[in-house]
Amino acid sequence: MLNKKMMNSITGILVIFGLVYAGFLQFKISQYSHVEAPNNADYIIVLGARVKGTVPSLAFATRINTAAKYVKENENTIVIASGGKGSGEDISEAECIKRELVRQGINESRIILEDRSTDTYENIDFSKKLIPGDATSGLVVTNNFHLYRAISIARDHGLDVQGLPAKTPWKAVLKSYTREYLAITKFYLKRYILD
């Protein structure tokens, strides 16, 4: 009887902790989801996502469209298109970004390719090396659910950047947020415990 009560108590505590932790993560994500990006950034880093053959996934397409809109309105901003070639992808994510931006009227000369990265850490690390030496202000472009972690990683890499959030299609919300909760947890473990 005592063991059953104890197990129920432990389960209850874990459930409460899980709900509080999920609420905390959602609060951190929402802090970055609706930020207003400043004009005239020297560069933007567009983070890659899944490409189906040569076509960007729905969430990825919103990142690219958000970047295109910003770059059209800020003519001196350069783009660092970041993302390697993964399984099921016929081209790199960076190449996909470039093709879509060019298709929307962005001059190819404004786009720098970073086509080796396989995750957000590498996106930031490899892109940092491609930032022009005279550039001082930058933005990270990704979906709103991903922006908190992406900016945190960028700042850990010494980049003083802000965010440019792209909307997440409703179809992708549940899967994207669930995966992001796990990814943020891994980020916290790496940042505060494992290092």
Side-chain angles (χ1 to χ4, degrees), residues 36-48:
E36 194 78 28
N39 290 324
N40 303 311
D42 294 322
Y43 65 91
I44 62 173
I45 300 172
V46 185
L47 301 184

Side-chain angles (χ1 to χ4, degrees), residues 66-193:
T66 299
K69 182 176 185 296
Y70 185 89
V71 175
K72 285 177 187 174
E73 293 170 357
N74 297 273
E75 294 182 357
N76 294 318
T77 303
I78 65 152
V79 178
I80 299 172
S82 181
K85 183 172 172 285
S87 173
E89 298 177 338
D90 295 337
I91 57 173
S92 71
E93 294 162 9
E95 180 63 29
C96 184
I97 295 166
K98 178 183 169 185
R99 288 185 187 186
E100 293 296 314
L101 291 179
V102 168
R103 192 177 59 76
Q104 294 187 47
I106 308 304
N107 193 305
E108 199 173 320
S109 65
R110 297 175 67 190
I111 304 167
I112 300 169
L113 293 186
E114 181 292 293
D115 58 4
R116 298 182 301 125
S117 56
T118 60
D119 61 23
T120 306
Y121 294 94
E122 289 182 354
N123 284 141
I124 298 299
D125 189 31
F126 298 165
S127 295
K128 181 181 176 181
K129 295 169 180 142
L130 300 175
I131 297 169
D134 59 345
T136 56
S137 59
L139 300 172
V140 173
V141 184
T142 189
N143 296 98
N144 47 17
F145 71 86
H146 186 220
L147 206 51
Y148 162 62
R149 182 167 58 97
I151 290 177
S152 298
I153 291 169
R155 290 181 177 163
D156 284 355
H157 278 80
L159 290 178
D160 184 17
V161 292
Q162 296 186 57
L164 178 57
K167 289 183 179 173
T168 303
W170 278 110
K171 195 174 174 183
V173 165
L174 182 62
K175 182 179 177 185
S176 298
Y177 276 80
T178 303
R179 287 180 63 193
E180 190 61 15
Y181 288 168
L182 295 172
I184 294 171
T185 301
K186 183 179 174 184
F187 167 70
Y188 285 157
L189 289 170
K190 184 174 174 152
R191 186 197 236 183
Y192 298 114
I193 296 171

Side-chain angles (χ1 to χ4, degrees), residues 9 11-12 17 27 33 39 41 50 79 132 136 162:
S9 296
T11 302
F17 174 79
F27 171 72
S33 293
N39 290 324
R50 190 160 62 97
V79 178
T136 56
Q162 296 186 57

